[in-house]
Amino acid sequence: MEQYSILGRIGEGAHGIVFKAKQVETGETVALKKVALRKLEDGIPNQALREIKAVQEIEDNQHVVKLKDVFPHGTGFVLVFEYMLSDLSEVIRNSDRPLTESQVKGYMMMLLKGVAFCHENSIMHRDLKPANLLISSTGHLKIADFGLARVFSTQGGRLYSHQVATR
């Protein structure tokens, strides 16, 4: 953890707290997702493993948030992601007026390209919602939070649950 300087808290999810941080050596701003394990003998939560596996399966893509590193920390571990300024729910909530038609079209196009890319790489996100769609300072949208994602196979009769995501 000493290679990062914490700049502030961004938010909290089901399995961890997300911080804005600066990589000391390079000066790069990143997002650190600290995942604490309640009991070491319980192992890493399935959601965290799914997120790591799904994001590692996907090579670098302009529509999916990039996982830069994973390392152990205390009784848990830390996921290092590229830093994004906000999420779509925050953009909508803090806007004085509704998004313009061109903004909606632009966000929708980036979302659909990201989903298509995930599906081409056998990843089902299963929790797409405005809070999981991150927006950069330049207005670029990227899909994040692959905690409920599944790597799927087109072969075999594997059944997947039909209702998983946040309502």
Side-chain angles (χ1 to χ4, degrees):
M1 250 332 254
E2 57 280 344
Q3 68 266 38
Y4 296 97
S5 170
I6 305 289
L7 302 175
R9 185 177 167 145
I10 297 173
E12 192 169 338
H15 287 286
I17 302 171
V18 182
F19 296 93
K20 179 179 179 181
K22 191 164 287 245
Q23 215 272 352
V24 175
E25 202 172 291
T26 64
E28 179 185 17
T29 303
V30 295
L32 301 179
K33 184 175 187 178
K34 284 187 176 181
V35 180
L37 303 179
R38 284 168 184 78
K39 294 184 205 159
L40 281 177
E41 55 273 8
D42 289 347
I44 299 172
N46 280 341
Q47 276 193 287
L49 287 172
R50 281 192 199 130
E51 181 168 19
I52 294 165
K53 184 172 187 201
V55 179
Q56 284 179 333
E57 290 278 324
I58 299 172
E59 72 258 12
D60 205 6
N61 182 268
Q62 63 178 338
H63 303 294
V64 176
V65 72
K66 182 173 176 46
L67 176 65
K68 295 175 160 291
D69 195 12
V70 181
F71 59 88
H73 176 67
T75 59
F77 59 95
V78 177
L79 301 166
V80 182
F81 291 99
E82 66 179 305
Y83 176 74
M84 301 289 281
L85 187 62
S86 66
D87 61 49
L88 186 57
S89 65
E90 193 177 317
V91 168
I92 293 167
R93 199 173 42 249
N94 294 336
S95 182
D96 295 339
R97 44 192 122 78
L99 296 175
T100 66
E101 192 174 305
S102 62
Q103 286 174 308
V104 172
K105 284 180 181 179
Y107 287 147
M108 199 65 198
M109 182 60 81
M110 289 181 267
L111 171 61
L112 291 173
K113 285 180 178 180
V115 169
F117 183 81
C118 289
H119 290 180
E120 288 161 10
N121 286 275
S122 303
I123 304 288
M124 283 188 288
H125 187 281
R126 306 191 322 166
D127 195 20
L128 291 173
K129 58 185 179 183
N132 291 341
L133 303 174
L134 303 184
I135 309 291
S136 73
S137 58
T138 60
H140 193 84
L141 180 142
K142 292 190 180 196
I143 299 171
D145 197 346
F146 284 77
L148 295 177
R150 283 285 168 95
V151 177
F152 67 88
S153 170
T154 53
Q155 275 83 41
R158 169 107 195 254
L159 295 175
Y160 298 97
S161 38
H162 68 283
Q163 188 172 359
V164 182
T166 309
R167 289 184 181 269

